[in-house]
Amino acid sequence: MRTHVDEIDWARFIERLLYLFPPVIGVGLIGVVQETEPGVPGLQYGLLLVSSFGYTFLTLGLLVAIFFDARRIRRLPRASGNWHPNPWLNAAFALVSAPLAGVVYLARRHRRFGTRSGWSGWWLVVAVSLATTLFGIVAATIAIILTIPGLLAAAIALAGTIAFGAFPIAIHQDAAYVCTDGDSWRPNPGFYLGIAFLSLFIPPLQPLVAGYYLTRRRREMELS
């Protein structure tokens, strides 16, 4: 007997929750930076509190979503595939490291069920994020050479905002489109989302991943 819980698209819910992690992390990093310089009294503590609360909320949301999605998959006939995730183990993994658990779960889920695609133009957002990052690197270099603190801060803020807010969503959504509508290349959206998250902590990785992805996409299929 189907219930309201079974009618929820938990996989889509997991995706949307993961999209919120970069902004939550970004707010926390801003709070850390605020601690190192004078500013609005109490602002850094407020930002860190918002980030901590947001991370906790998203972790619990992912735990619940992964549990119910895994439980639904476990109930499917075994003849339909050989992946039968344990709801309790996956939920426990989410409690330990929610972003990692989420991207691993989506990557494994994609291999069996695929990922629903949407807009075909997400590659444009990936390209804009790459261009913005390269511009930020050039502007930051000029600012350091010419000793222009304002330009350095603006360049980092612009590149960081695009990288944190748009790049993970764009590359995940575009990979879902390519693997559904492409001819030969089947990029795993969950894998690329995980790499995009990693690039938030290793900034040089972002332009490398974006550049490789766009080059491979251009070679494998016509940009649409």
Side-chain angles (χ1 to χ4, degrees):
M1 179 179 177
R2 290 179 61 86
T3 64
H4 292 299
V5 171
D6 294 324
E7 294 174 355
I8 297 175
D9 188 347
W10 290 110
R12 208 65 166 175
F13 194 54
I14 294 169
E15 289 179 8
R16 297 310 186 258
L17 285 174
L18 286 173
Y19 291 167
L20 294 175
F21 270 106
V24 168
I25 295 171
V27 170
L29 290 177
I30 293 173
V32 171
V33 171
Q34 287 293 326
E35 284 195 39
T36 64
E37 59 184 31
V40 180
L43 176 61
Q44 66 270 28
Y45 302 109
L47 292 173
L48 290 172
L49 181 62
V50 169
S51 179
S52 299
F53 177 79
Y55 188 89
T56 301
F57 173 79
L58 293 176
T59 296
L60 294 177
L62 273 175
L63 185 153
V64 171
I66 290 175
F67 174 84
F68 282 112
D69 191 72
R71 190 180 70 167
R72 176 188 295 170
I73 292 173
R74 292 276 292 189
R75 292 175 175 176
L76 295 176
R78 290 191 175 271
S80 63
N82 57 7
W83 181 53
H84 300 277
N86 186 302
W88 295 104
L89 288 179
N90 280 276
F93 187 15
L95 188 61
V96 174
S97 178
L100 181 59
V103 296
V104 169
Y105 185 84
L106 287 182
R108 298 189 66 189
R109 194 183 196 282
H110 173 79
R111 295 194 190 106
R112 176 172 171 184
F113 299 102
T115 302
R116 189 170 63 184
S117 65
W119 182 43
S120 64
W122 279 107
W123 69 270
L124 290 167
V125 184
V126 177
V128 168
S129 69
L130 173 60
T132 304
T133 299
L134 295 177
F135 170 79
I137 293 173
V138 173
T141 302
I142 294 174
I144 293 173
I145 294 175
L146 300 180
T147 316
I148 309 176
L151 177 60
L152 177 61
I156 294 176
L158 177 61
T161 299
I162 298 296
F164 267 81
F167 179 62
I169 299 174
I171 200 167
H172 178 264
Q173 287 286 321
D174 194 73
Y177 171 79
V178 172
C179 72
T180 301
D181 298 288
D183 295 326
S184 58
W185 187 35
R186 296 289 185 272
N188 189 311
F191 171 78
Y192 275 95
L193 182 61
I195 295 297
F197 281 174
L198 184 61
S199 73
L200 301 179
F201 303 96
I202 309 176
L205 188 60
Q206 192 263 357
L208 294 177
V209 173
Y212 166 79
Y213 179 85
L214 291 172
T215 301
R216 180 73 184 273
R217 190 191 197 280
R218 181 67 181 85
R219 185 168 65 245
E220 296 292 341
M221 63 183 297
E222 180 181 359
L223 294 176
S224 54

